[in-house]
Amino acid sequence: MSARILNGNAIRDRIYVELAGEIASLASAGVRPGLAAVRVGDDPASKLYVNSKIAACEKLGLASFHITPPASTTTDELLTIVNELNDRDDVDGILVQMPLPKQIDSKKILDAVVPAKDVDGFHPVNVGNLVANRPALVACTPAGVMEILRRSNIPMEGANAVVIGRSDIVGKPMALLLLHANATVTICHSKSKDLPGIARRADIIVAAIGKAAMVTPDFVRPGATVIDVGQIVVKDAKQAERIFAKFPEKLQAFRNKGSVLAGDVHPEVVEVAGAYTPVPGGVGPLTIAMLMSNTVKAARMRRGLRAPAAAPARG
Ligand code: GUN
């Protein structure tokens, strides 16, 4: 039996429809939420990500401000940029694309973003509010995973959830969100003993390790839900052949392009899992959707406006 596919593109589209309604009602109150994206230097991957974020703003009718200081920017210069954005009334959300050039003190920069505009959810105040289960701007990727689980009616209360990976951006906030949804949460990492054994106890596995196809079918209890946060560009032919042995269309794509996108989850997990997110088209689309959602939320929170009622879960 093959697993149910949790379609991130379809969920993203539903979220955009809901956000469009919220944005229209804010517009009638004279508010147009605005996102400032700061990209330092010319890293091609960062360019691609930030351009996608700006494009999403334009699609939804949010204001966007693209700030692109040169790779030689100092910590003090970037602090000045962030402080100006903190003070601007037309900017509701600030994101500083990571990674930053080596000479810049990233912690100092992230700490300088005023928490009310921290749409990445990286500021210690927002992290602390998440820990305490108080209203907060939450990191976009784990927030997106929660949207997938909730809107796909995957039961979380009392479920055993295993998060593989302990990063500040995904693993840690993911574990807290699942805990607040009343799951029994285990966090695993590179030093964990018997990772497959721990993962096999899970009703929900969230893989956020950044290692192509690491979660193999022996990690997965039949019927479990498997969420794949990884997005790794595989350029090695042998590795591509190992991962996609049973997926000729992926191998063909590799031959055509010289690379293929893989997740942290081995594609053959589809034969064991009950439900899973594909790569691409699973968690990825939700990350930008939650950035848009956080920008609208920040615009509302800064003005003391109330949130609309939560959308019902759909199958
Ligand atoms: N670099 C990789 N992922 C992210 C993200 O979610 N936010 C920011 N600001 N930079 C990133």
Side-chain angles (χ1 to χ4, degrees), residues 136-151:
L137 291 166
V138 177
C140 299
T141 299
V145 171
M146 293 305 285
E147 290 292 334
I148 293 176
L149 293 170
R150 191 172 67 81
R151 290 168 187 260

Side-chain angles (χ1 to χ4, degrees), residues 49 53 95-99 120 122 141 169 287:
Y49 287 137
K53 293 170 185 181
L95 91 90
V96 182
Q97 188 65 25
M98 297 287 142
D120 264 326
F122 293 168
T141 299
I169 294 178
T287 298

Side-chain angles (χ1 to χ4, degrees), residues 99-249:
L100 290 168
K102 276 196 286 293
Q103 78 277 8
I104 295 179
D105 184 338
S106 301
K107 274 216 169 89
K108 246 188 186 170
I109 301 299
L110 295 181
D111 288 358
V113 175
V114 67
K117 296 189 180 187
D118 169 38
V119 283
D120 264 326
F122 293 168
H123 192 284
V125 165
N126 279 317
V127 175
N129 282 331
L130 172 62
V131 172
N133 202 10
R134 296 184 195 186
L137 291 166
V138 177
C140 299
T141 299
V145 171
M146 293 305 285
E147 290 292 334
I148 293 176
L149 293 170
R150 191 172 67 81
R151 290 168 187 260
S152 308
N153 293 310
I154 304 293
M156 288 183 270
E157 187 161 305
N160 287 330
V162 170
V163 178
I164 311 179
R166 56 175 158 179
S167 69
D168 290 335
I169 294 178
V170 184
K172 284 182 205 168
M174 187 74 252
L176 288 160
L177 289 169
L178 287 163
L179 181 66
H180 297 328
N182 294 321
T184 303
V185 183
T186 307
I187 308 175
C188 299
H189 46 78
S190 56
K191 302 282 190 290
S192 296
K193 286 181 191 155
D194 187 22
L195 208 49
I198 298 169
R200 271 198 304 275
R201 292 204 296 269
D203 303 302
I204 300 167
I205 296 174
V206 181
I209 328 131
K211 271 198 165 173
M214 203 194 97
V215 174
T216 42
D218 59 310
F219 281 57
V220 181
R221 185 182 60 70
T225 297
V226 182
I227 305 290
D228 190 350
V229 177
Q231 296 197 65
I232 302 108
V233 179
V234 175
K235 292 184 177 154
D236 180 79
K238 286 245 149 47
Q239 191 185 15
E241 278 162 26
R242 252 195 327 271
I243 297 173
F244 294 111
K246 293 190 187 169
F247 298 82
E249 73 289 353

